[in-house]
Amino acid sequence: MSTTPKTGQEMDAYTVNVIKGLIMDATRKANSGHPGGAMSSADYAYILFKEFLSFDPDNPNWWNRDRFVLSAGHESMLLYSLLTLNGYLSIKDLMEFRQFESKTPGHPEHDQTPGVEATTGPLGQGFAMAGGMAVAETFLRHKLGQDITNHYTYVLVSDGDLQEPVALGSAALFGQWGLGRLIAYYDSNKIQLAGPTKRADCSDTKKLFESLCWQVIEIDGHDHEAIRTAIREARAETDRPTLIIGHTTMAKGSATLEGSEKTHGSPMSPEEIVATKNKLGLPADESFFLPEDVIAHFRQRFPLLSDRSGQWSEELAAKQARDASFAALWEAIHTPASKRNIQWPDFEPGTNLATRKAFGACLNGLIDQFPNLMGGSADLDPSNQTVHFRETTGIFGKDNPLGRSFSFGVREFPMGVILNGIALHGGIIPFGATFLVFSDYERNAIRMSALQNLPVLHVFTHDSFFVGEDGPTHQPVEHVSSLRLIPNLLTLRPGDAWESAACFDVAMKQETRPSVLIFTRQGLPVMDPATHPHIREGVGKGGYILEDPTDGKPEIILLASGSEVHLAVGAARALPDAKIRVVSMPCMELFDEQDAAYRESVLPKTVRKRMAVEAGSPDIWYKYVGLDGEVIGMNHFGASAPAEVLKKVYGFTVDHIVERLRETWLK
C-alpha cells in the first residue's frame, strides 16, 4: 500500500478512493446495496460537495443552503459517505447501512438523515423534485430578495432516472420555466441492472435535452478539472437549466468488475474488495477506513461556509428590523399550518352548486390571504376552477418568476412530484389539480407526498360516473377507495359547498401529511348552516351526525360521502317513521382517529341496521356497516350517457335508496 499522498490533486484522488472504500465496505457488511453506480459518480459528487456546495456545517436545515438531491437513490452510500465527511453522519452510521432505524436506510429518506433533501426511491422522482425545489428558490428569491434566498439546486441522475417518463415530462417544464439555478448531473455509465443501456435505449440525451431548452455540457465524469469547469459553466447560465453529461465507467477503480452490471445491485465479494483496495492504495485489512487527513482536506472550506451562514443570519435579522413588510411576509410563510387563521366564503343555502365550484370560490378567497400559495392544473384550468387563480396571480415562468400559477400541461405525474419538491424546499403552499380518474397517473407522487410527510394539496374534480357523456374512461369507480389505502393521507370528499370549505380548511392546516380533495362536476344542494350548525366541527372529525330522528334515538344509520349525502338526507326524510340517522363521512381517516367515545356517539354499536351510499367501490364501507350491513356502490365501470340517465340506471336516487331500505329492514 502506498503512503497517503499530500499534494492537492493527489489528495483529491485519494479522498475519492477512500469514499469508494466506504461504499464497498458498507454494502458488503449489509450484504445488500448498489456499489457500482456510487463508485462511477464519486468523482463528480466529491468535487461538488468539497468545492461548490453551499451549506452550514453546523445546521443541515439552514434556509439558504444549496439543495443536493440524489435522484439515483440506489447510490445512497455515496451520499452517506459525503455526509460523513462533512460531519452530519458517523462511521457508526455507515456500519448500520440498511439496518432497522438507522440513519442510513437503503434509499435516502429526508426525514431520517440530516443532509438528505428528499426521499428518492422510485427513479425519476428525485429529478422532478429537484426541479420543484428550484421553482421554490426562484419564486422566493424574487419575493424575499436575493440577500435572503439565493442558492442552487443540484441533482444527480442515472440512466434509469432518465428512462422514467416522469423525468422527461418534468424536464420539459423546467426548460420552459427557465430554471437557471437547476443543475443536473447525468452519470452516464451506460449500465443498468439488467445489462448495457443500449439494450433498452437509443436516445441522444444531449439533443433531447437541448430540444427541451436546456444547456447541455458533456465531459469525462472522472476528470476533476472538467467537472469543475462544467459546474462553473452551469452556474454562469442564468436562463436555462443545465444538464452535465458525465461519461463514466461503472464501478470505476474496481479490480476486475469495471463496467459490469454485476456491481449495480449486489455487493462486491470480499476478494474483489481486497483486490480493489490494493489497486486504490487503501489498507486492504481495514474496513471503514477514514483517516483524519482526508477529513481535514475535505473540510478546508468549512470556516468560509460557517462565516457565510452567520452573515446571512445577521442580514436576515437586520432586514426584519428595517423592513416591516418583509418581516410580515417572513413570519407568514413560517407560521405553522395549524395556526393559520383562514377566512372562507359564504354560500347561499338552498341553491345548487357543484363542489368543484365551491372549491374555486375557496381558492379565489385564498389568493390575498396567502401570497405564498402556488399551484395549477394539468391542462384542465376551466374544469378544475383554477382560471381565476391563474389570471389573478399570473403564470410562473422565466419572464414572470413571481407568477403563482403553473401551466403543467397534460403531465399529471410530473405535476405531483414537482409539488413534492416545492413542499420539500419550504416556504410555499403547493397545490395541483386534475380529474379524479387521472389520480392513477399521479398515484406514486401522492404516495411519496404521504411517505415524506408533505402537506401538499392534491385536488381532484369530476369524481364519479356523474361525469356522464365522457364515458367509462373518465368516470372514476375505484379511485376514492384506492386513495384511502395510502397511509398518512387524508382523503376528503365533501357533500356540499360548506363541507367543501371545511375540508379545504382541514387540508390547509396539515403540517405532516398531504390531502386529496375530491369534488363533483354536478351541482349539489347547499345545506343551511342554521339547521346544520356543526358542519365545520364535524368535518374536522371526519364524520358526524348530519340529521337525526326527532327523538334522537336512531334505529337505522345511513352513511354517505360527497354527492350521495343529499341522497341519504332525502331518503331519511322520505321515511320519517323509520328513525334514520344520517351520517356524513367526508374523511374516513380523520373519523378513525377520533377516540372511541366519539365514534360510538356517531355509530352506536346497538344500532346494527346500517347502510352506506357512495358512487364508487363499496368494499371499504363494510368496516362501518358490518358484514350484515348494506352498501349502495359500484363494482363495475360506467357508461357514456347523460348523468341523469346513469344515476337512475345505477340506483343513485332517493327512490332507489328508499326502496332498498324498505326491502331490507322496513317490510
Side-chain angles (χ1 to χ4, degrees), residues 404-595:
R404 292 160 53 190
S405 176
F406 300 119
S407 294
F408 287 110
V410 188
R411 299 184 179 98
E412 297 87 356
F413 189 11
M415 174 179 71
V417 186
I418 291 167
L419 297 175
N420 288 343
I422 292 172
L424 283 164
H425 181 281
I428 292 173
I429 305 167
F431 75 89
T434 185
F435 288 172
L436 178 59
V437 76
F438 302 138
S439 64
D440 282 341
Y441 286 166
E442 194 181 348
R443 184 179 180 85
N444 203 263
I446 298 169
R447 182 178 186 269
M448 294 302 290
S449 296
L451 184 61
Q452 297 181 88
N453 303 308
L454 302 177
V456 176
L457 307 174
H458 299 280
V459 178
F460 299 106
T461 66
H462 296 58
D463 75 337
S464 69
F465 72 83
F466 281 94
V467 171
E469 292 86 347
D470 276 346
T473 61
H474 281 54
Q475 293 173 10
V477 175
E478 74 279 18
H479 298 72
V480 176
S481 287
S482 177
L483 288 166
R484 288 170 176 150
L485 298 177
I486 298 176
N488 196 42
L489 177 70
L490 296 183
T491 305
L492 298 140
R493 187 171 184 250
D496 85 325
W498 294 103
E499 280 199 357
S500 296
C503 285
F504 208 160
D505 191 77
V506 166
M508 284 286 292
K509 292 179 178 177
Q510 296 304 308
E511 295 183 354
T512 60
R513 57 184 171 182
S515 303
V516 292
L517 293 152
I518 299 172
F519 301 111
T520 66
R521 178 195 187 192
Q522 74 277 17
L524 300 177
V526 177
M527 292 186 282
D528 187 347
T531 56
H532 299 90
H534 304 299
I535 293 175
R536 179 64 57 82
E537 178 187 0
V539 168
K541 293 183 176 181
Y544 65 105
I545 300 168
L546 186 62
E547 294 200 358
D548 238 352
T550 54
D551 63 3
K553 296 180 180 179
E555 296 180 359
I556 296 173
I557 297 176
L558 194 52
L559 303 94
S561 82
S563 54
E564 288 66 67
V565 170
H566 79 281
L567 298 178
V569 170
R573 291 177 179 177
L575 298 168
D577 296 331
K579 295 189 175 183
I580 298 174
R581 167 176 290 180
V582 177
V583 171
S584 177
M585 189 70 72
C587 184
M588 290 182 176
E589 298 83 14
L590 286 175
F591 182 76
D592 292 347
E593 290 171 6
Q594 303 307 306
D595 61 39

Side-chain angles (χ1 to χ4, degrees), residues 18 91 137 202 255 265 321 346 419 429 480 521 532 614:
V18 168
I91 288 294
E137 189 278 337
C202 66
D346 291 330
L419 297 175
I429 305 167
V480 176
R521 178 195 187 192
H532 299 90
E614 185 173 67

Side-chain angles (χ1 to χ4, degrees), residues 57-319:
D58 299 314
N59 178 15
N61 297 317
W62 176 45
W63 172 266
N64 202 34
R65 69 192 182 277
D66 287 342
R67 270 59 169 180
F68 172 79
V69 177
L70 183 68
S71 189
H74 54 281
E75 297 183 12
S76 57
M77 260 310 302
L78 170 60
L79 178 55
Y80 298 150
S81 298
L82 291 164
L83 294 177
T84 300
L85 279 166
N86 75 9
Y88 292 165
L89 294 178
S90 67
I91 288 294
K92 180 176 181 294
D93 293 320
L94 300 188
M95 291 179 175
E96 295 174 347
F97 179 55
R98 292 190 164 219
Q99 304 309 302
F100 183 61
E101 293 187 337
S102 77
K103 293 182 181 179
T104 50
H107 288 74
E109 297 182 33
H110 88 99
D111 56 341
Q112 290 192 26
T113 311
V116 171
E117 299 287 359
T119 298
T120 49
L123 287 172
Q125 291 200 50
F127 175 87
M129 285 187 284
M133 295 175 192
V135 167
E137 189 278 337
T138 299
F139 176 82
L140 292 168
R141 174 162 30 96
H142 289 82
K143 192 76 173 175
L144 299 173
Q146 292 199 56
D147 50 344
I148 301 302
T149 303
N150 183 10
H151 53 262
Y152 292 90
T153 302
Y154 299 92
V155 56
L156 193 160
V157 302
S158 64
D159 296 289
D161 284 294
L162 297 188
Q163 287 175 11
E164 286 288 357
V166 67
L168 296 185
S170 301
L173 289 169
F174 303 153
Q176 169 77 10
W177 294 338
L179 300 178
R181 290 172 181 257
L182 174 62
I183 301 172
Y185 175 78
Y186 167 31
D187 182 61
S188 180
N189 58 42
K190 301 170 183 62
I191 291 292
Q192 53 195 109
L193 191 145
T197 57
K198 63 183 180 182
R199 293 176 179 171
D201 200 341
C202 66
S203 301
D204 186 327
T205 305
K206 183 176 189 295
K207 290 181 180 178
L208 176 57
F209 271 74
E210 286 177 339
S211 75
L212 298 176
C213 306
W214 285 60
Q215 172 181 235
V216 181
I217 303 168
E218 288 193 89
I219 62 171
D220 176 347
H222 300 303
D223 183 329
H224 289 190
E225 195 54 44
I227 293 169
R228 294 182 181 101
T229 299
I231 295 173
R232 292 188 187 105
E233 289 179 10
R235 288 160 63 111
E237 172 58 65
T238 58
D239 294 328
R240 294 177 295 170
T242 296
L243 179 70
I244 302 171
I245 301 176
H247 295 285
T248 63
T249 301
M250 189 74 158
K252 177 69 172 177
S254 62
T256 67
L257 293 175
E258 282 192 352
S260 172
E261 67 269 21
K262 294 178 181 178
T263 65
H264 184 285
S266 300
M268 296 181 184
S269 69
E271 295 77 16
E272 179 72 18
I273 292 174
V274 168
T276 299
K277 286 183 177 181
N278 284 329
K279 178 181 177 181
L280 297 178
L282 303 175
D285 59 349
E286 185 174 348
S287 295
F288 297 96
F289 174 68
L290 183 57
E292 288 298 324
D293 56 349
V294 164
I295 295 174
H297 179 69
F298 184 85
R299 298 181 184 180
Q300 286 175 343
R301 277 195 313 141
F302 276 27
L304 174 63
L305 294 173
S306 296
D307 287 346
R308 185 182 298 167
S309 62
Q311 291 169 7
W312 178 90
S313 297
E314 292 176 3
E315 175 55 31
L316 173 63
K319 190 168 186 175

Side-chain angles (χ1 to χ4, degrees), residues 609-621:
K609 298 175 181 178
R610 302 182 183 185
M611 180 180 290
V613 187
E614 185 173 67
S617 296
D619 294 357
I620 200 166
W621 286 94

